[in-house]
């Protein structure tokens, strides 16, 4: 189950990053952090 949420969050992050490739690593890291927090909240 955790792997499912992780893969969804990863796919969402990659989709957001792909839609704005000029955003750079900082925004990618921010999106990843937000996705990680959301997954953590779902699991706990």
């Amino acid at each position: 189950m955790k792997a499912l949420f992780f893969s969804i969050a990863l796919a969402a992050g990659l989709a957001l990053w792909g839609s704005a490739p000029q955003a750079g690593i900082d925004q990618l890291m921010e999106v990843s952090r937000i996705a990680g927090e959301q997954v953590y909240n779902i699991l706990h």
Side-chain angles (χ1 to χ4, degrees):
M1 195 66 165
K2 289 182 181 181
L4 175 63
F5 286 119
F6 178 76
S7 63
I8 292 171
L10 181 61
L14 290 174
L16 288 171
W17 186 51
S19 67
Q22 73 278 9
I25 298 300
D26 289 342
Q27 187 165 352
L28 176 62
M29 293 301 291
E30 181 68 13
V31 168
S32 298
R33 184 186 65 79
I34 292 170
E37 288 178 355
Q38 291 174 347
V39 171
Y40 181 84
N41 289 336
I42 289 169
L43 295 176
H44 290 89

